[in-house]
Amino acid sequence: MNLLSQTLCLCLVLALSHAHHHAGHQGGEDVGHEGHDHGDHTGVLLDRCQGIEMDAVAVTEEGIPYFFKGGHVFKGFHGKAELSNQSFAELDDHHHLGHVDAAFLMHFPDKPTEHDHIFFMLDTKVFSFYKHQLETGFPKDISEVFPGIPDHLDAAVVCPAPDCEEDTVIFFKGDEIYHYNVKTKKVEEKKFEGMPNCTSAFRFMEHYYCFHGHQFSKFDPKTGEVHGRYPKEARDYFMKCSKFGDTTDHIERERCSRVHLDAITSDDAGNIYAFRGHHFLEQDAGNDTWAADTIESDFKELHSEVDATFSYENHLYMVKDDKVYVYKVGEPHTHLDGYPKALKEVLGVEGPIDAAFVCQDHHIAHVIKGQTVYDVDLKASPPVPVKEGSFKLFNKVDAAMCGPEGVKLFKGNHYFHFQSVKVMLMAKAIPEEHKTALELFGCDH
């Protein structure tokens, strides 16, 4: 009797499940896109800071790294996972996306039919997307588009000349390495001795990175040689994570991280403070070395995630959301009574803002919000922001600071130097870009 009851219950569950699934199709649900549950598209929230091994990495034509895991993608170095089919819908239409084997951006201006196309390898097929639209005729067999390259790849990365002898795509499958000549379509098999098997790879800021697990190694694309202390923890350099282990070298991580700064300033004595996520870097005036610590250790009222900061009369003004925190510079920094105060009360503008800075010996705070720059007289009460102007060079910036050499605007992994605020506002072209990690923080890799 018990067996019969269990059997009847199981049949009822299966029938209801089938009816619900059928109703979902008949009721007009978009099963093929955002609402579907193919492959790895589940309601489980992926957290890249938990040590995920990525399936593939590709830099888009806008220069944004896309990290793929299962049916999800992380865009940039921080932020939540999104379903891959929201950005590349046709991957699901043809393949019921559960993973991406390899991905890369074909960036060769002299090949206009393929320039700035993103290629995805899934099992035996290759997909070519241009501006997130699948190209006509794709997907195709990998062997048709890249003759001599095997199926079921692990990783791929583009290697333009002169990084490689000629414009090349490097494909990885286990310990087998294939150099595919883009022009001649010839394939040369290589042996990269001493380098781990790559589960994903990409070229970023003119360097080549092989990811294996949640670690990475920087390698020479011609020889596979790995120089320096590797492997390193990917979460230290390519993700915006709070402290997750006791073995992390915070100073090296913050100096060499590829994640953009949240805020930066220098105080009246010339000490520099740079903030990113839960940590900050500090360099004392006249000293070439940097120190790193958690924001909470020195600015416990803030906890983390600073939007903007500037220095004025030996005080650090720090903006977080719609609040302003003020600290007197010292050992330790002293949080002033009465703060935080509303951003509107202190600077006269509505939040959020992107950056703020005060140039030396001045009492004007320059507040950047989108493409608009406001001037706020810090001696006036109440503050009255005056629109100083707009600059069209960037849609937004991540941070800004002003010093004796002029204004530095920070965006992504780079900063841009202007001789003055006036020059910045009048600029018609983007000036030379400088690598933040290398040229500001002295990171050599």
Side-chain angles (χ1 to χ4, degrees):
M1 185 67 181
N2 288 338
L3 178 61
L4 177 60
S5 299
Q6 293 173 359
T7 302
L8 290 174
C9 289
L10 176 61
C11 291
L12 179 60
V13 169
L14 291 173
L16 289 173
S17 174
H18 176 74
H20 175 72
H21 180 73
H22 181 72
H25 281 273
Q26 297 298 320
E29 292 183 4
D30 187 2
V31 179
H33 296 288
E34 183 175 349
H36 74 58
D37 191 29
H38 286 148
D40 194 28
H41 294 173
T42 68
V44 178
L45 294 177
L46 297 179
D47 182 356
R48 69 172 99 191
C49 293
Q50 294 300 314
I52 295 174
E53 177 181 279
M54 297 297 176
D55 296 330
V57 186
V59 179
T60 68
E61 61 271 25
E62 295 90 6
I64 301 173
Y66 277 25
F67 297 84
F68 294 88
K69 177 63 178 178
H72 295 79
V73 59
F74 296 92
K75 297 179 180 180
F77 297 131
H78 61 95
K80 296 180 180 179
E82 303 176 14
L83 290 176
S84 302
N85 59 18
Q86 294 178 0
S87 298
F88 305 98
E90 293 89 350
L91 287 174
D92 257 3
D93 293 344
H94 291 273
H95 207 271
H96 301 332
L97 176 66
H99 70 285
V100 173
D101 290 334
F104 61 90
L105 175 71
M106 187 76 85
H107 188 74
F108 297 123
D110 60 342
K111 290 182 66 65
T113 59
E114 295 180 351
H115 178 58
D116 277 351
H117 287 58
I118 297 181
F119 288 83
F120 294 93
M121 275 61 179
L122 286 79
D123 299 330
T124 63
K125 298 294 183 181
V126 57
F127 295 71
S128 175
F129 283 82
Y130 183 65
K131 295 184 177 180
H132 295 270
Q133 297 296 317
L134 184 66
E135 289 289 284
T136 302
F138 284 87
K140 298 179 180 180
D141 289 339
I142 292 175
S143 59
E144 177 184 351
V145 181
F146 300 101
I149 300 302
D151 300 332
H152 303 286
L153 293 161
D154 292 327
V157 63
V158 163
C159 180
D163 293 359
C164 287
E165 297 296 338
E166 297 185 61
D167 291 342
T168 300
V169 181
I170 305 174
F171 294 94
F172 302 79
K173 182 173 182 178
D175 60 359
E176 298 173 349
I177 312 297
Y178 303 85
H179 275 218
Y180 177 87
N181 188 306
V182 173
K183 183 178 181 180
T184 66
K185 297 191 176 182
K186 291 183 179 179
V187 177
E188 181 182 1
E189 293 191 38
K190 298 256 189 175
K191 286 292 184 182
F192 281 3
E193 302 290 347
M195 194 174 87
N197 293 347
C198 303
T199 55
S200 59
F202 83 139
R203 178 179 185 265
F204 191 68
M205 294 180 67
E206 301 174 8
H207 294 297
Y208 294 81
Y209 299 97
C210 163
F211 290 85
H212 36 95
H214 51 80
Q215 295 182 313
F216 74 94
S217 298
K218 188 180 76 171
F219 68 96
D220 184 321
K222 293 180 182 179
T223 65
E225 291 179 309
V226 176
H227 300 288
R229 294 184 296 125
Y230 289 96
K232 297 181 186 292
E233 172 60 65
R235 290 171 290 182
D236 279 344
Y237 300 89
F238 295 100
M239 303 173 196
K240 192 173 183 179
C241 301
S242 58
K243 183 178 179 180
F244 49 82
D246 294 327
T247 60
T248 298
D249 183 341
H250 295 298
I251 298 176
E252 181 180 354
R253 178 186 70 187
E254 295 305 319
R255 286 174 56 238
C256 301
S257 175
R258 295 339 186 216
V259 180
H260 69 76
L261 293 176
D262 294 330
I264 187 169
T265 190
S266 59
D267 61 25
D268 296 345
N271 306 313
I272 300 176
Y273 307 84
F275 298 85
R276 180 192 290 113
H278 292 253
H279 294 81
F280 77 99
L281 282 162
E282 181 178 358
Q283 183 189 61
D284 293 337
N287 192 335
D288 291 335
T289 61
W290 291 86
D293 211 332
T294 62
I295 292 175
E296 191 162 1
S297 66
D298 280 39
F299 309 97
K300 65 180 182 179
E301 293 80 8
L302 279 167
H303 181 61
S304 64
E305 306 286 349
V306 180
D307 292 335
T309 183
F310 62 88
S311 175
Y312 177 64
E313 293 187 341
N314 207 38
H315 289 77
L316 294 175
Y317 286 69
M318 308 177 78
V319 180
K320 181 181 176 70
D321 300 325
D322 59 353
K323 295 286 193 298
V324 178
Y325 300 75
V326 179
Y327 292 83
K328 183 177 180 180
V329 175
E331 293 291 343
H333 304 300
T334 306
H335 186 244
L336 296 192
D337 292 338
Y339 287 89
K341 293 183 179 179
L343 176 63
K344 180 73 172 178
E345 179 184 354
V346 179
L347 295 178
V349 297
E350 298 284 354
I353 64 173
D354 298 320
F357 60 91
V358 173
C359 294
Q360 286 186 331
D361 301 326
H362 291 180
H363 55 86
I364 302 297
H366 305 277
V367 180
I368 301 176
K369 184 175 181 178
Q371 293 183 311
T372 302
V373 180
Y374 298 94
D375 281 358
V376 181
D377 188 341
L378 295 174
K379 292 187 178 296
S381 182
V384 180
V386 177
K387 182 177 178 181
E388 182 176 8
S390 301
F391 62 100
K392 304 298 183 183
L393 299 181
F394 309 103
N395 292 329
K396 71 182 296 294
V397 297
D398 297 315
M401 68 180 296
C402 186
E405 298 177 352
V407 179
K408 291 184 176 75
L409 295 183
F410 294 78
K411 184 173 178 61
N413 312 282
H414 299 91
Y415 69 85
F416 305 85
H417 177 252
F418 301 87
Q419 290 182 333
S420 66
V421 177
K422 182 178 180 180
V423 172
M424 178 188 78
L425 292 173
M426 294 178 63
K428 301 298 183 183
I430 296 176
E432 177 186 0
E433 64 180 22
H434 299 269
K435 297 177 181 177
T436 302
L438 175 65
E439 298 180 58
L440 180 64
F441 297 134
C443 177
D444 59 358
H445 61 81

